[in-house]
Amino acid sequence: MAPFDPIVWLYQCLQWLIDKIFSPSPPPPNAHLTRPKIAIIGAGLTGVASASHCVGHGFDVTIFEAGERKQLGGIWSRVNNTSGLQIHSLMYRFHPSVRWEKAYPNREQIVGQITELWKRYGLEKRTKFNTPVQSVRQDDKKRWIINDPSNGRFDGVIAAVGSCGDSKMPHITGQEKFKGEIYHSSQLDGRHAKGKRVVVIGGGASAVEALEFVVNEHAAETNILARSDKWIIPRNAVVDMLLSLNVFGQETFLSWIPESLLRLFFYRDLRDLAPTNKGIFTDTPMVNTKVLDLVREGRAQWLRGDIVHFEENGVRFNLRAPGVPKGGPGHEILVEGDIVIMATGYKRPSLGFLPEECFEPPYQPPYWYLQVFPPSHMSICANNCTYANALGTVGNWHVGIYTRFLLMFLVDPLTRPQERLMKAWIDMTRFLKARSPVGAFDFITYAELIWWFLFVIAFNPFRWKWALFVFFGIGSALPLSIVREEDRIRNGLGAEKR
């Protein structure tokens, strides 16, 4: 029996309280859900969480999943068993009812929570597996058809295909000459690296996954070949939350403060590994403390440069000095290895099934209203699959907030954003971030996301009554009664129905 830990006990109590206050009640078996019907594309974390919010508030849903039942959970169903959260689970609360057993849960626990949520809200009978979505179009009554009419008609669509699809496995010159083994970083279960020399190609989050495997396997030598510099931040909830509080969502005249503190107290003797040509608020950082410790201990080397080609015994690599850009001058070396792990990430799933007008420049993703609503169709929400880079988390409260924005738009005509105002908001955000070294929507922080939500609610007085519902999932009954009274007044005045 594990010893009593007061911190863990308090964390469990906090999660219990959040569940009791904020979780919508699951519908009873065979419940007839009468509110607008939502089509949800994707049965990963975001799709299941969005669906549970919908049915919990009385909206019927159908989930369309391209894969088999075993792919419930999206990317988490396909990664290695050794994979786990790099951020604290406090920042990964994709539904109020989630109950984490520890600060950094592993893949099995994450898929378990997604599956439990799927079952608790009766989503088994509302999910169509092996159903890839090819097209989303409207009928003459502006209702959505998914592939063909036999799948039903829907009032709203949530695209929840995520940002990580199939593994990305590029071919590198000379690869066929290499005498060792080559794997993608997501295909390491059952592999063995004990006593072997391992070369990891790539320096992002996938490299962390590969490094965890290498450490567990006690490899003899590990070299990480990173083409671009990437900020590494501590695996510390307080530090991660503080960094995500930059409400401007971009580099500012104060950005040198957290960057200097990271170099001084986190990188310390390895400051030359910190990026010199880009700020921390321009790209998604790696969240890991172990990487730098392994470099200090001599168990891993972090090399910056470009892959030249494979050779029989390893990888020919152009080693660059700090600050030298990709493809710049350097010194060619041979990095020998018995195993090469391609930490080259994943292909981004396509949103090409959405109507063509969703992609008209200059309002194509990620340049959408609140980054998820295409201006041409406010009844489509591309939840969690349009962001490029961020500092915060992809699996937190915003999943439910975006979902409830869509529900509000569908049931209350006076809250619906007009296309011209949606475009005006996008243009305003572009203007406010005009001095950012990256595009206005190419990097965001969690604090900036919250500012967006607050602004959009405050801008339209008819949305004020929905604030508690949108932000916390509380009290949809009162706003709906007000909506009915508003409709009665509008109809009495002869207002056109929307």
Side-chain angles (χ1 to χ4, degrees), residues 260-328:
S260 298
L261 290 173
L262 284 171
R263 288 189 179 97
L264 181 63
F265 295 108
F266 183 56
Y267 282 89
R268 303 196 304 274
D269 53 318
L270 300 175
R271 288 188 206 182
D272 62 321
L273 296 184
T276 58
N277 55 359
K278 64 179 178 181
I280 193 168
F281 299 109
T282 59
D283 191 14
T284 303
M286 293 171 59
V287 185
N288 195 275
T289 303
K290 192 176 292 185
V291 171
L292 297 181
D293 288 340
L294 291 172
V295 173
R296 288 190 183 95
E297 295 166 5
R299 298 170 64 188
Q301 285 195 82
W302 191 283
L303 306 177
R304 179 194 296 107
D306 306 287
I307 306 295
V308 179
H309 56 248
F310 270 87
E311 297 190 3
E312 289 186 355
N313 299 320
V315 178
R316 177 68 60 177
F317 189 68
N318 181 44
L319 186 66
R320 289 186 270 110
V324 177
K326 299 175 186 177

Side-chain angles (χ1 to χ4, degrees), residues 125-139:
K125 61 184 178 183
R126 294 182 169 90
T127 304
K128 294 186 176 184
F129 291 105
N130 300 305
T131 310
V133 173
Q134 306 294 339
S135 69
V136 174
R137 66 186 191 279
Q138 285 183 313
D139 62 16

Side-chain angles (χ1 to χ4, degrees), residues 151-270:
N151 288 316
R153 286 173 165 81
F154 302 87
D155 302 283
V157 175
I158 296 177
V161 296
S163 60
C164 296
D166 295 333
S167 55
K168 193 189 298 180
M169 193 77 165
H171 181 272
I172 298 174
T173 303
Q175 195 168 314
E176 60 281 349
K177 298 178 182 178
F178 182 58
K179 291 182 177 180
E181 302 166 291
I182 301 176
Y183 312 122
H184 188 266
S185 59
S186 64
Q187 302 166 338
L188 300 177
D189 285 342
R191 311 292 187 183
H192 301 287
K194 186 173 182 179
K196 296 184 178 181
R197 300 166 300 173
V198 178
V199 177
V200 178
I201 295 179
S206 296
V208 173
E209 188 169 14
L211 198 59
E212 289 173 342
F213 162 79
V214 170
V215 170
N216 291 335
E217 283 291 313
H218 303 287
E221 179 185 326
T222 305
N223 288 287
I224 302 170
L225 311 185
R227 189 181 180 200
S228 60
D229 288 328
K230 205 169 184 71
W231 280 96
I232 306 173
I233 61 176
R235 203 182 190 194
N236 180 289
V238 175
V239 173
D240 299 347
M241 288 180 185
L242 286 174
L243 288 171
S244 67
L245 288 179
N246 175 2
V247 73
F248 301 103
Q250 61 181 315
E251 288 287 294
T252 70
F253 70 97
L254 296 175
S255 297
W256 66 272
I257 297 176
E259 292 165 7
S260 298
L261 290 173
L262 284 171
R263 288 189 179 97
L264 181 63
F265 295 108
F266 183 56
Y267 282 89
R268 303 196 304 274
D269 53 318
L270 300 175

Side-chain angles (χ1 to χ4, degrees), residues 474-492:
I474 295 174
S476 64
L478 177 61
L480 280 173
S481 65
I482 297 173
V483 169
R484 284 191 287 269
E485 184 62 23
E486 290 170 345
D487 285 345
R488 187 185 67 80
I489 294 171
R490 290 171 64 248
N491 293 336

